[in-house]
Structures are given as structure tokens and as C-alpha cells.
Amino acid sequence: TQSDVLNEAGVLYMKTKKWEDAARMFERRWHVDTSAVGAYINYAQCMIVLEKFDNAAAALVQAISRNPEYVPAYTNLGIAYLQMKDFPKARSTFEQVVKVVDTNVVKYKKDLAQAHRYIGLALMLDKKWPDAVESLRRSIDLEPKDENTLLWMAQGLQNAQKWDEAIKYYKEVLKINKSNELAKKGLKDLEGN
């Protein structure tokens, strides 16, 4: 079908990093087949790479309206909102991931961990340290070796003045990546006190 041909062309363009061309193919595909939720997702991913976050967000909203249970659409939408520096919308979108995933944690474990991670980040950006730490703990429970989450946890704990626990997390980061400069600095700052 024409929809399949457009999809294959779009995927090929994505593989060769021809993002504008790929986006055009996916856009044409959803005009041919409005039920092709994957076309909206792939288009949005191209727009994110091209740093056209408004376009990505609009496509992802369309994808969600067509398939409200498709978790990756919410995850990518939250990332687009973060890039747009719309932290309240990002947080709300990642909270929606948590609600949708609650029905199938095993299948969407990574998405759920990512949602909690970014909720924590959004809370950190709002300087809501205890709430941020709680969200980051949920993420770490699901993905205990994610370097960024562990680092953000250490930073959140440090800002919440829970220095012993922050030191523990900085050390965890350095076990994963001994050259992480932010973890080295945070650990030095705390152990120097």
C-alpha cells in the first residue's frame, strides 16, 4: 500500500539521518492513513532531532489522541516539553506515563523509570528537593544503574541537606563512571565539609 511505501521510505531516511526527508515521508503517510500512529511518533522523533519541539509536540498530541495507551508517545511528548522548557507540562506528561503504565509495569518498565526520572528532574528544577528525591527513588527502584538518575539523586539529596546519603549516591555514580566530573565535584564538596 501507499502507506507502507511511505513508511519504508521514512525509515530509510531516518537510518541515513536525513531527518527532513524522513519527516516529510511520515507526514505524507499520516495524510494517507490517519490511523498510522507510528507515523506521528516517527515524525516527532525527526522533529526532536531537528530541534523543532513545537512540531514534535503537536504530532505526539495527535498520536496520543489516536492511541491513548501508547506509552512511548507520552514519553517523547514529555521530552519535547522539557526541551521547550515547559516544565509543568513535562511533569504532567510524565505523570500521565505513570498512570498509563500502572496497568503493565513489566512491559513498560523502562518508560516508567524514565517518567519518574524526568518528574524528579522537573521537581529539581522547581527546587522541590524532597519530592524530587522521592521520584528519583522510584526510578532507581526500576533502573538501579542509570548514571544520570543516580547523579540527580545525589544532587537532590545534597540540596535537601542529606549529605551522608548524597555521598553514597555520588560514589554509586563513580562506580559506573569514574570520570564523571559532576559526581567528583559533589563528592569533594561534601567530604570537604
Side-chain angles (χ1 to χ4, degrees):
T1 68
Q2 184 180 6
S3 178
D4 292 333
V5 170
L6 291 168
N7 186 61
E8 288 175 25
V11 169
L12 181 62
Y13 282 131
M14 283 180 87
K15 286 180 181 177
T16 58
K17 300 185 186 323
K18 295 180 180 175
W19 306 110
E20 294 277 354
D21 293 331
R24 273 194 297 281
M25 290 298 116
F26 294 124
E27 190 172 19
R28 286 178 55 199
R29 181 176 182 214
W30 84 55
H31 287 297
V32 170
D33 179 5
T34 57
S35 68
V37 174
Y40 292 97
I41 304 293
N42 288 335
Y43 172 86
Q45 289 175 337
C46 294
M47 292 293 105
I48 288 171
V49 170
L50 293 168
E51 299 183 3
K52 296 180 179 179
F53 304 113
D54 289 336
N55 293 3
L60 291 162
V61 167
Q62 287 298 316
I64 291 167
S65 74
R66 284 165 173 68
N67 186 350
E69 301 299 313
Y70 190 64
V71 173
Y74 293 97
T75 304
N76 285 310
L77 181 58
I79 291 168
Y81 287 144
L82 280 176
Q83 293 297 325
M84 294 162 63
K85 304 210 181 327
D86 190 337
F87 304 124
K89 276 188 181 176
R91 179 179 170 196
S92 172
T93 302
F94 287 119
E95 287 170 346
Q96 188 61 35
V97 170
V98 173
K99 288 178 188 171
V100 172
V101 169
D102 270 346
T103 61
N104 196 343
V105 173
V106 174
K107 181 176 179 183
Y108 293 112
K109 182 178 177 181
K110 184 175 179 161
D111 292 287
L112 185 57
Q114 188 175 30
H116 284 300
R117 179 180 312 124
Y118 285 125
I119 291 168
L121 176 60
L123 289 164
M124 285 179 69
L125 294 169
D126 282 342
K127 298 182 180 354
K128 295 181 179 175
W129 309 118
D131 293 336
V133 165
E134 185 56 37
S135 286
L136 293 168
R137 274 192 213 288
R138 289 187 192 120
S139 180
I140 290 168
D141 287 345
L142 295 164
E143 286 189 335
K145 299 293 182 194
D146 184 82
E147 181 180 345
N148 285 332
T149 309
L150 293 168
L151 177 65
W152 294 343
M153 174 64 101
Q155 292 168 331
L157 289 164
Q158 184 175 0
N159 284 304
Q161 300 181 352
K162 295 186 177 192
W163 296 299
D164 290 340
E165 204 174 348
I167 289 170
K168 174 185 144 202
Y169 280 98
Y170 281 128
K171 287 180 178 178
E172 285 295 314
V173 172
L174 292 172
K175 282 182 191 175
I176 294 169
N177 178 2
K178 62 183 174 189
S179 63
N180 186 307
E181 294 300 322
L182 292 172
K184 285 181 188 178
K185 182 185 180 322
L187 190 58
K188 182 181 176 187
D189 290 347
L190 289 176
E191 289 183 332
N193 289 342

